[in-house]
Amino acid sequence: MAADQRVTIYQVADRAQVSISTVSNVLNKPDRVSPATRARVLAAADELGFVPKAQAVSLARRAAGRIGVMAPFTSYGSYLRRLSGVLTAARELEIDAVVFDHVSAALASSPVLASMPLHGRLDGLIVMGLRIEDAIADRLRERGLPTVAVDADSSLFSRVVIDDTDGGGLAAAHLRERGHRRVGYLLERQVSDYESQAIRRLSGFRRVIEAGGGEVIVATSDNSVDAARRAAAALLDAADRPTAIMAHHDTLAVGVLLAARDRGLRVPADVAVMGFDDGETATAADLTTVRQPFEESGSIALSVLLGHVDGTRPRSTTVLDVRLVQRSTT
């Protein structure tokens, strides 16, 4: 479309039957707009082929000067470590990174992500630990915004992941080898129906324990130490309490340790405890856990993304290794 024929924000507003300010909010502050109105504006922009001026400049430049990174940073410290890997690599390449936070992979998708392909301020996008809904994925692809998914599934974009099923199985094998047959599993509560890595990790864990004739008792917890402490209490207060408890990640495992201490239970003599991730929390608690290569996942994601931006790299899936780190709690 020629410059004098470019679709304007006024035409989008007219098609969606909203004000100019509403279209502006969808592009810049989407959380201020109701889901129904936001969907109507995005549909109008897609139908008209609306391209903001900033995006036209980016398309003409065809180089990565600014990328976006979206993840549940404030809910999970592990994503800050992944971000560190991105930022270290980006700084060396003199690439700017814009950070977007979302509450949790266990919750609904982000309105910011839905409108991101339209506002035209990014040359590429890394999405960590969040489901990219089909409609949003289609918009990202159709608008030509190179995207890489980290710790998440995608049929359209490159991925950098671990095998969570195998990771859960690795933890289960460690406990089974130590004679544990009745094992508790503390799962983060799921609000959306997205099959997150928590569900896959539990699946791998359950498969290995049950293959050895054991039983897995699942409890759910919100994402905090206090919530995990309460959920673990119910497991440990049962007459036939488990001899070991695996937590979805290290922070929840700390809640399990506190619940055991509240009851005068010895770890690991009375109950063994495991986590997953291996950050500073695991080190401080001397917690047996499964280590993920967080920083490496961030730097690899940026490398893959830049290959998409300059057109030299096809869609790919990179699977990183995890490993058991045994400490005093098992």
Side-chain angles (χ1 to χ4, degrees):
M1 182 175 289
D4 59 353
Q5 297 177 307
R6 184 177 295 124
V7 176
T8 67
I9 193 173
Y10 300 96
Q11 291 170 284
V12 175
D14 183 65
R15 173 67 66 91
Q17 294 296 293
V18 297
S19 66
I20 302 298
S21 61
T22 297
V23 177
S24 178
N25 279 335
V26 169
L27 297 177
N28 300 294
K29 300 174 182 177
D31 54 324
R32 295 188 177 183
V33 184
S34 71
T37 300
R38 188 168 63 240
R40 193 163 73 247
V41 171
L42 292 174
D46 287 340
E47 291 166 8
L48 294 170
F50 174 63
V51 178
K53 290 181 180 179
Q55 187 172 355
V57 172
S58 173
L59 291 172
R61 186 170 69 243
R62 294 181 181 272
R66 175 178 292 177
I67 64 159
V69 186
M70 171 170 278
F73 294 114
T74 54
S75 296
Y76 307 94
S78 60
Y79 288 104
L80 293 175
R81 293 176 59 192
R82 295 186 196 274
L83 177 63
S84 175
V86 174
L87 296 181
T88 298
R91 185 165 55 249
E92 294 173 354
L93 297 170
E94 297 184 349
I95 294 172
D96 292 334
V98 183
V99 177
F100 303 89
D101 185 42
H102 181 60
V103 176
S104 172
L107 304 179
S109 65
S110 166
V112 175
L113 181 59
S115 64
M116 199 170 288
L118 300 183
H119 64 49
R121 300 191 185 96
L122 302 175
D123 302 304
L125 176 65
I126 297 173
V127 180
M128 299 179 172
L130 302 173
R131 178 189 182 189
I132 306 176
E133 295 179 354
D134 292 344
I136 297 174
D138 289 340
R139 183 174 296 117
L140 289 167
R141 182 179 61 176
E142 290 167 4
R143 293 307 183 108
L145 182 61
T147 301
V148 173
V150 178
D151 196 28
D153 288 332
S154 175
S155 60
L156 294 181
F157 306 122
S158 288
R159 302 186 305 141
V160 179
V161 296
I162 64 166
D163 188 324
D164 277 289
T165 303
D166 283 353
L170 178 65
H174 175 71
L175 294 176
R176 194 177 76 177
E177 289 167 1
R178 276 146 188 78
H180 298 287
R181 294 296 178 266
R182 183 172 175 81
V183 183
Y185 194 101
L186 193 55
L187 178 73
E188 183 183 353
R189 194 181 313 280
Q190 303 288 294
V191 177
S192 71
D193 59 0
Y194 170 51
E195 188 191 35
S196 68
Q197 27 99 347
I199 300 299
R200 291 191 294 272
R201 196 172 297 167
L202 169 60
S203 174
F205 185 89
R206 190 196 300 272
R207 183 186 63 204
V208 171
I209 293 295
E210 293 181 348
E215 179 184 8
V216 178
I217 305 94
V218 179
T220 58
S221 167
D222 291 331
N223 183 41
S224 72
V225 171
D226 286 342
R229 191 177 194 170
R230 291 191 296 271
L235 290 172
L236 296 174
D237 287 341
D240 52 349
R241 69 167 183 259
T243 61
I245 297 178
M246 168 73 184
H248 171 59
H249 58 73
D250 293 339
T251 298
L252 299 185
V254 170
V256 178
L257 291 172
L258 291 175
R261 188 185 68 180
D262 293 342
R263 284 150 184 79
L265 297 175
R266 298 166 299 160
V267 176
D270 298 321
V271 59
V273 179
M274 279 194 71
F276 203 103
D277 285 346
D278 194 34
E280 293 181 354
T281 297
T283 302
D286 204 25
L287 176 71
T288 296
T289 187
V290 176
R291 176 176 294 167
Q292 293 199 58
F294 290 121
E295 291 82 2
E296 183 183 0
S297 72
S299 62
I300 289 176
L302 178 60
S303 176
V304 172
L305 180 64
L306 296 181
H308 292 329
V309 171
D310 64 22
T312 62
R313 184 161 186 159
R315 185 169 69 89
S316 62
T317 295
T318 303
V319 181
L320 303 178
D321 292 333
V322 298
R323 69 180 181 88
L324 180 75
V325 179
Q326 184 177 353
R327 298 192 177 98
S328 67
T329 60
T330 58

